[in-house]
Amino acid sequence: MKMATYSVLSGSVALITLQNPPVNALSEAVRTGITDAVQRTLKDPQVTSVVICGQNGRFCGGADIREFAGPMSGPPLVPMIHALEAMEKPVVAAIEGLALGGGLELALGCHYRIAHSQALLGLPEVTLGLLPAAGGSQRLPRLIGLPAALDLITTGRHISASEALKLGIVDQVTDDNALKMAVEFARSVVGQPLGPRRLSTRPCHSPPDVDSVLDQALAQVWQRGRGALAPVACVGALRAAATLPYAQGMEKERELMATLFNSGQARALQYAFFSQRVVGKWQPSGARWDNSTTRTIRKAAVIGLGTMGRGIVVALALAGVSVVAVESQEKQLAAARQMVPEMLQRGAGRRGLDTPPGVISFSSGLEDVSEVELVIEAVFEDMALKRRIFSRLATVCRPGTVLCSNTSGLDIDQLAEATQNPALVVGMHFFAPAHVMKLLEVVCGPRSSPEAVATAMVLGKRMGKVSVAVGNCPGFVGNRMLKPYMEQANFLLEEGATPQQVDEALEGFGFPMGVFRMSDLSGLDVGWRVRKEAGLTEQGVEPTRMRQGQRYSPLPDQMCEGGRLGQKTGRGWYRYDGPGGRVARSDPWVQNFLETYRARHGLVPRRIATEEILERCLYALTNEGFNILQDGVAAGPEDIDVIYVFGYGWPRHRGGPMFHAGQVGLARVLEKLEHYQHSHPDVPHLKPSSLLRRLVAAGSPPVQKWREFISKDRVHSQL
Ligand SMILES: CCC/C=C/C(=O)SCCNC(=O)CCNC(=O)[C@H](O)C(C)(C)COP(=O)([O-])OP(=O)([O-])OC[C@H]1O[C@@H](n2cnc3c(N)ncnc32)[C@H](O)[C@@H]1OP(=O)([O-])[O-]
């Protein structure tokens, strides 16, 4: 039952308990309950103090985000919190578990705050495209000063109870029962003056150079935010707190919130919040993996200690898994022996651990993996080599060992075929650097068992990853969609654009790096190798612009042939100070190279508008997303969006490619694809997906309804 209950302890302490599992969010019923409880407290002369707590050891996870989608009803938060603060009986918040967003704002309206040592506190509204608009942006700086409030509110980071104590957000921290302590505390402060405890009446202590502090904060959020509105609005609200009386500050807070609340960004970020939670549950087939039994992995092996393998070893060890790290090449093994412990120590430090929880042993032979419960192969993208390893593992490992490959796009089923038990083979596609990047694609082959998938998904979660189950096809979800995106970028160069122009358009959209800067960073030879395997490259002769019946740009192959592999060679689409250099500078050589190329192929360069760059790159990518949904390679649009936000730098405040298509309007995306396909009939990736056509024909349902639409569509097409 969602509500807030009222009871009186020992005749004098009123206890208000928030009850709305799992996080006691401030839904309409809870707000109504608190408002009623305040009235009862006021009327009861026996009650001399009040304690507010949350059921099941969780104070409050904030406003009920699900309610944001509908019209607001019930008592609003701001007057409710004011009524608490204005009470003439001391009000104490007993913070157990968490006090986030509106939950912490509620606590800031109380006169005192007692926290359990394990509690987490924060104002994460900015991550949902909002600001702490229940007075939080005005009360917090009055409590802890402007610089600390700027940090907490613009980043939305969660802090520990001990940090909250240091900052002065809470009055006491306990390892014991926080509720019991809050009740005793409430009794002890009866009769003490409440004026100084009302944060709204305090002045805001700002540094003397307040303007420059705020300007600096603004510059920082512009740079970090890549076009996000909420952090900028947060600085605006804090400026009001620092420079205006409380009532005017509250007015500014309200105005800024109204602008944000109705922005597409807030909707996108709230969608991203729920998507992250949805994707953990479904397989592309539509079955739930989280009902399957999983194996608890205590000991695992990683085969291949290149960049990816080393990162995976560290990620496993930080999750408390003991690892056998195997590398057959002596030089690579020696490098790993030196680098892995350093990486591990740094990772442990970031997590506040003295010693890393998992133990690592190094080996040069596969025979040492016989005792592990799960293996992750991370060698070169070479099918023959991987198959040899899988067939050897099938004989070395004990029966029941889950065998995973970190391939970024090869056929999992071909690997499974090389073993005796294909049900135990799944893909675990990590993203570089594997101990840092949050995304994990868990690839379900046609014969992978739900148990093997579930084991990989749960292990991913233990490693702190956002795990998404995807189907088995070339490139899986992320890299399959990247192909048409990169292809368009190359075609744009042929037609007259420069790498800078394309990158600036994409960075202006919110990507941390455009496609060419990214390609220089990861190395142009990565894609070259894949194109060679696919039989697409031509050498020696004058390269053609058609391959396998489709338009093809040989530009990146020619760059590789000339040794321009990106940052590692100091030259790529940009030039760098030297091999390994990081600062990209425009390179006249590239300009010259492109001009010569165009002249040789009779291509007349034209001025290409930013709009066309974005539409062609992004809609080609999204179109492939529709094909993926249609093929059942991803369970729903949320899965694709989470992959793009966590693995490919898609700006979170734009929700993800599929959400973005919905916001632009599916009919408009379709119209644009038709337009570009008409101008480029030899580019199959611009041919609108039939799922996109069917969605438009069905009236463009919102993205949240696509999953249902697709499953009905599938049933219909099977009839
Ligand atoms: C208006 C004035 C200004 C105020 C604004 C705000 O307060 S904005 C809010 C500011 N607050 C925040 O930004 C906090 C957002 N929440 C979190 O960061 C995390 O949920 C957590 C750290 C509270 C718990 O992590 P955990 O790993 O233990 O658990 P989990 O993450 O898996 O969630 C479990 C279930 O609870 C659900 N749910 C959670 N919170 C809310 C909510 N507020 N509402 C509704 N639902 C919520 C979640 O969807 C999931 O549902 P499912 O899938 O089972 O149907």
Side-chain angles (χ1 to χ4, degrees):
M1 178 76 175
K2 297 178 185 183
M3 56 178 163
T5 57
Y6 176 83
S7 56
V8 180
L9 305 176
S10 326
S12 66
V13 183
L15 182 67
I16 304 174
T17 309
L18 315 190
Q19 295 189 1
N20 184 7
V23 301
N24 298 321
L26 294 160
S27 64
E28 179 181 349
V30 175
R31 297 194 310 273
T32 306
I34 298 173
T35 310
D36 291 349
V38 170
Q39 289 310 315
R40 288 177 71 175
T41 308
L42 288 174
K43 284 186 197 140
D44 189 340
Q46 302 301 315
V47 168
T48 52
S49 61
V50 185
V51 170
I52 303 189
C53 69
Q55 194 189 31
N56 295 334
R58 288 184 140 184
F59 181 69
C60 178
D64 192 332
I65 306 166
R66 286 184 207 280
E67 285 185 357
F68 292 165
M72 172 76 188
S73 57
L77 273 177
V78 170
M80 184 191 93
I81 294 174
H82 267 285
L84 272 176
E85 191 190 55
M87 270 212 260
E88 290 301 342
K89 304 174 184 185
V91 185
V92 183
I95 300 174
E96 294 175 307
L98 43 90
L100 298 175
L104 181 54
E105 294 182 273
L106 174 69
L108 292 173
C110 298
H111 305 120
Y112 300 93
R113 289 156 290 278
I114 308 291
H116 187 265
S117 53
Q118 296 299 314
L120 287 178
L121 298 90
L123 293 174
E125 285 89 338
V126 69
T127 64
L128 297 167
L130 304 172
L131 61 88
S137 74
Q138 305 304 300
R139 285 196 179 91
L140 189 67
R142 287 177 160 78
L143 180 61
I144 64 172
L146 184 66
L150 272 167
D151 167 39
L152 289 191
I153 292 177
T154 60
T155 62
R157 72 186 177 91
H158 298 177
I159 57 167
S160 64
S162 65
E163 187 174 352
L165 184 67
K166 262 189 229 140
L167 287 170
I169 295 177
V170 297
D171 301 287
Q172 284 185 19
V173 172
T174 175
D175 290 327
D176 294 331
N177 186 327
L179 176 56
K180 206 167 141 231
M181 183 157 171
V183 171
E184 282 161 18
F185 187 90
R187 279 205 189 97
S188 72
V189 290
V190 171
Q192 290 192 13
L194 291 174
R197 306 297 311 178
R198 294 189 180 107
L199 299 181
S200 67
T201 62
R202 286 195 192 177
C204 181
H205 291 295
S206 304
D209 54 346
V210 57
D211 280 332
S212 97
V213 168
L214 285 160
D215 291 346
Q216 246 177 31
L218 195 59
Q220 212 175 40
V221 299
W222 269 116
Q223 202 209 357
R224 243 188 353 224
R226 300 189 264 140
L229 299 172
V232 177
C234 287
V235 177
L238 284 156
R239 192 182 290 274
T243 54
L244 299 172
Y246 177 78
Q248 283 176 39
M250 284 301 287
E251 188 50 32
K252 189 75 191 166
E253 183 190 89
R254 196 191 57 76
E255 266 171 37
L256 289 166
M257 178 66 163
T259 318
L260 290 179
F261 200 78
N262 296 316
S263 73
Q265 291 196 3
R267 276 194 290 278
L269 286 160
Q270 287 153 33
Y271 162 84
F273 173 83
F274 288 115
S275 297
Q276 202 177 325
R277 281 148 185 87
V278 165
V279 297
K281 294 178 180 147
W282 299 89
Q283 278 190 35
S285 61
R288 285 184 77 123
W289 65 266
D290 59 343
N291 295 332
S292 311
T293 43
T294 57
R295 314 237 184 111
T296 306
I297 305 299
R298 288 175 209 89
K299 196 164 183 191
V302 176
I303 317 293
L305 300 179
T307 311
M308 286 307 288
R310 293 194 296 267
I312 298 169
V313 170
V314 173
L316 284 167
L318 287 172
V321 178
S322 295
V323 192
V324 183
V326 182
E327 172 58 62
S328 59
Q329 289 184 30
E330 223 171 274
K331 226 169 132 191
Q332 188 114 296
L333 181 63
R337 277 185 198 278
Q338 197 211 328
M339 290 161 87
V340 166
E342 289 166 11
M343 288 159 71
L344 194 59
Q345 210 53 54
R346 277 199 301 273
R350 273 197 298 271
R351 287 167 172 74
L353 305 168
D354 292 336
T355 46
V359 177
I360 300 172
S361 61
F362 291 91
S363 163
S364 58
L366 281 185
E367 56 287 350
D368 287 334
V369 310
S370 59
E371 292 303 310
V372 305
E373 293 140 330
L374 179 138
V375 181
I376 302 175
E377 163 278 308
V379 302
F380 236 59
E381 287 292 78
D382 176 338
M383 181 52 94
L385 172 65
K386 285 180 191 276
R387 277 178 63 98
R388 276 201 303 281
I389 291 174
F390 270 72
S391 109
R392 181 81 205 288
L393 286 171
T395 58
V396 171
C397 297
R398 51 185 191 193
T401 305
V402 180
L403 302 181
C404 310
S405 173
N406 174 48
T407 175
S408 60
L410 296 179
D411 184 357
I412 292 297
D413 206 35
Q414 275 196 48
L415 296 177
E417 227 171 55
T419 70
Q420 283 130 18
N421 195 349
L424 290 174
V425 177
V426 290
M428 282 183 91
H429 177 209
F430 291 85
F431 290 72
H435 59 302
V436 177
M437 289 288 283
K438 291 279 283 179
L439 180 64
L440 175 70
E441 280 184 327
V442 172
V443 189
C444 318
R447 292 180 279 176
S448 311
S449 67
E451 191 187 353
V453 172
T455 301
M457 291 288 282
V458 170
L459 181 60
K461 195 160 185 202
R462 254 174 88 192
M463 286 191 268
K465 307 289 177 205
V466 179
S467 315
V468 186
V470 298
N472 184 36
C473 68
F476 314 132
V477 169
N479 285 346
R480 175 168 158 183
M481 289 170 69
L482 202 63
K483 195 175 166 209
Y485 167 77
M486 296 186 74
E487 187 184 80
Q488 285 304 315
N490 291 329
F491 293 161
L492 286 161
L493 294 190
E494 292 187 340
E495 292 165 38
T498 62
Q500 294 91 299
Q501 213 188 333
V502 175
D503 283 351
E504 275 163 22
L506 294 166
E507 287 159 20
F509 178 79
F511 280 98
M513 261 186 215
V515 57
F516 293 109
R517 285 218 294 140
M518 179 49 91
S519 182
D520 272 1
L521 175 68
S522 46
L524 272 74
D525 49 333
V526 179
W528 195 31
R529 213 175 297 129
V530 177
R531 293 191 297 278
K532 275 185 186 164
E533 278 257 330
L536 283 164
T537 51
E538 284 173 359
Q539 256 183 327
V541 289
E542 182 57 45
T544 60
R545 293 176 51 242
M546 290 294 284
R547 304 282 158 92
Q548 300 173 358
Q550 299 174 13
R551 183 172 165 192
Y552 179 86
S553 173
L555 281 171
D557 297 342
Q558 290 184 341
M559 297 280 284
C560 291
E561 283 159 23
R564 299 186 70 104
L565 304 184
Q567 289 188 3
K568 60 177 139 186
T569 55
R571 295 275 186 278
W573 296 109
Y574 296 88
R575 72 190 159 88
Y576 300 86
D577 286 339
R582 298 250 172 239
V583 182
R585 294 200 173 78
S586 106
D587 192 344
W589 184 92
V590 174
Q591 191 57 31
N592 206 14
F593 163 68
L594 290 174
E595 278 166 18
T596 313
Y597 174 90
R598 291 181 199 123
R600 199 180 308 132
H601 290 280
L603 298 165
V604 181
R606 60 187 175 91
R607 267 202 71 251
I608 301 177
T610 301
E611 194 186 8
E612 178 175 345
I613 295 174
L614 288 178
E615 287 174 351
R616 281 179 55 187
C617 292
L618 302 183
Y619 296 169
L621 174 139
T622 307
N623 193 41
E624 196 56 27
F626 285 110
N627 288 331
I628 281 173
L629 288 175
Q630 182 167 280
D631 297 349
V633 173
E638 296 88 351
D639 300 67
I640 295 178
D641 286 338
V642 164
I643 286 173
Y644 261 79
V645 167
F646 284 96
Y648 294 85
W650 185 281
R652 193 176 164 94
H653 61 265
R654 293 190 188 267
M658 309 320 286
F659 178 87
H660 182 65
Q663 268 198 330
V664 170
L666 296 186
R668 185 173 164 78
V669 173
L670 175 60
E671 182 201 319
K672 287 288 172 184
L673 281 165
E674 280 170 339
H675 165 76
Y676 290 120
Q677 203 216 353
H678 185 73
S679 335
H680 307 278
D682 49 359
V683 182
H685 282 130
L686 291 173
K687 180 174 178 234
S689 156
S690 59
L691 173 62
L692 171 60
R693 286 190 188 285
R694 289 199 300 283
L695 282 163
V696 173
S700 302
V703 67
Q704 291 84 354
K705 301 273 180 208
W706 295 1
R707 204 180 273 254
E708 193 188 333
F709 178 88
I710 294 163
S711 67
K712 278 194 192 146
D713 206 39
R714 213 168 273 152
V715 172
H716 193 70
S717 65
Q718 281 161 4
L719 291 177

